[in-house]
Amino acid sequence: MASPIKSAFLQVHSIIGLAIALVVGLMGLTGAMLSFEDDIVAALNRDVARVDVRSAPVLTPDEIVARLQAQPGAGKVQLMLLSSEPGATVRARFARNEAGERSSVFVDPYDGRVLSAVSGEGFFATLRNLHRFLLLPGNGNGYGRLITGVCAIGLLVLLISGMVLRWPRRVRSIRMWLKPNLAMPGRAFHWSLHSVVGTWVLPIYVITILTGLWWSFDWYKASATWLLSSKPPAAAKAPAKAKGGAKPADAAQAAAPSLDRAWATFLAEQGSQYTNVYLLVPNGPGPVRLRSLAKDAPHDVARDDFRIDGATGRVVNVERYADKSVGDSILQRVLQIHTGAAFGLVGRILFMIAAALMPLFTVTGIILYFSRRRLKAQSKPSRNHRRAAGLVAGE
C-alpha cells in the first residue's frame, strides 16, 4: 500500500482516537465492572434470597402487591420475580420515582414482609448510567446516549484504520499478527503493545460495538429488528373508547386486571415446569405479561413469553423460545451477546478482559501520538531523511 494512503489513514486514526479516547476508555472500564453484575448482586444478597419453608401457603401476586403498596411511601410495584423453589423470596421492583430512581426489595412470600432492599442495585444502576449515558442529564433521553453512540462508531473506525496501518508485508505470518515484541524499548514497545493487543481483542470489540449501538440509536435498533425478526413490526393501536361512557366500577376493574387470575392460568399451563417467572404488573387495561424460564431452558435468557387477560384468565398469546427463529433469538439476547454471557463463562471472562484493556489503548495511543509529533519536529532540519527514526510506515 502506498505511503500517502497509510498517512491518510493515520491522520483519521489519530484525530478520531484523540477525540474519543477518554470516553471509550471510561466505557471499557465501566463495562468490565458490569460484566459480573448479576453474580455480585446475588452474592451480596444471599442471606435474604431465601427464608425457612413453612406449612402456610404462599401469598398470591395480588396479595403481595397489596401489602407492598399499603406501606407508607411505597411506590407502584412494576415487576415481580417469582420462583418455583420453596422458600425462595420474591424480588419486587418499584416504578421510577419523581427523581428517576428505581428500587427493588426482597419480600417474604408467606407474609409479604419486606426483608431488605436489594444490596448493590443502586451502585450498579449508577455504573450502568455512566457506561451508557455518561451520567449526563436525561440519561437515555439526553445527550449522553448520543455521545456514547458516536464514540462507539468512532471506535469501529479506529479498528478498521488500525488494521490498515499495521497490515504486515508477510500477511500469513501468525507471529507478525499476534506476537508483541516486548523486548523493544520506548516507542517501539508502545507501538507493539498497541497494535498487537488491539488485534487480539478486535473481534470482541466489533461484537460489543455492533450490539452496543442497540441502546444508542433508535434507528439502529429498528433496523436490526427489521433485519433479524421474523415477525412484522407491531402497529400501535389506540385504546378503544367505550360506547355510552363506562361506569366508574367498570373502569376501575378494567384498569386493574387480576394478577391472580393470570397467575392461575399460567400455573395451569406450565405446572411445575418453570424455574422462575418475571411477572410484569400492567399500568392499566391490557394483558398481564409473564416471562417464564423453563427448568430445561438452555440458558437464563431462554424465556417463554405469556400474555394473559387478567379479567378473564384467557391466554392472549404465547411465544415459546424454542419456536423462535435464529434472528429472533439474537434479538432476545442482545445484552448477553454484548457482555459475552451468550458464549458461556469463558466468553464473559474474555469480554471483561477486553473491556478492561480499553484504557491501555487510550494511554498508548496518546503516547504514540505525542511521541510521533516530537520525532517529526526533530527531523525537520534534516532534509536527507524522509522519515524520522522510530516512526513506522505511513508516519
Side-chain angles (χ1 to χ4, degrees), residues 58-80:
V58 296
L59 298 177
T60 65
D62 275 327
E63 291 173 333
I64 294 174
V65 171
R67 298 198 184 194
L68 285 175
Q69 297 190 166
Q71 299 184 13
K76 183 183 185 302
V77 177
Q78 185 181 58
L79 178 145
M80 291 186 293

Side-chain angles (χ1 to χ4, degrees), residues 34-111:
L34 287 165
S35 296
F36 286 86
E37 175 186 356
D38 292 340
D39 303 84
I40 296 173
V41 170
L44 291 174
N45 296 277
R46 61 180 179 272
D47 293 336
V48 291
R50 295 185 55 81
V51 296
D52 294 333
V53 179
R54 308 172 207 168
S55 59
V58 296
L59 298 177
T60 65
D62 275 327
E63 291 173 333
I64 294 174
V65 171
R67 298 198 184 194
L68 285 175
Q69 297 190 166
Q71 299 184 13
K76 183 183 185 302
V77 177
Q78 185 181 58
L79 178 145
M80 291 186 293
L81 177 60
L82 307 170
S83 175
S84 63
E85 186 178 355
T89 55
V90 176
R91 182 169 173 175
R93 188 178 74 190
F94 296 98
R96 297 185 186 275
N97 56 23
E98 295 179 356
E101 299 172 343
R102 177 184 290 165
S103 61
S104 301
V105 294
F106 286 100
V107 182
D108 190 313
Y110 296 100
D111 56 21

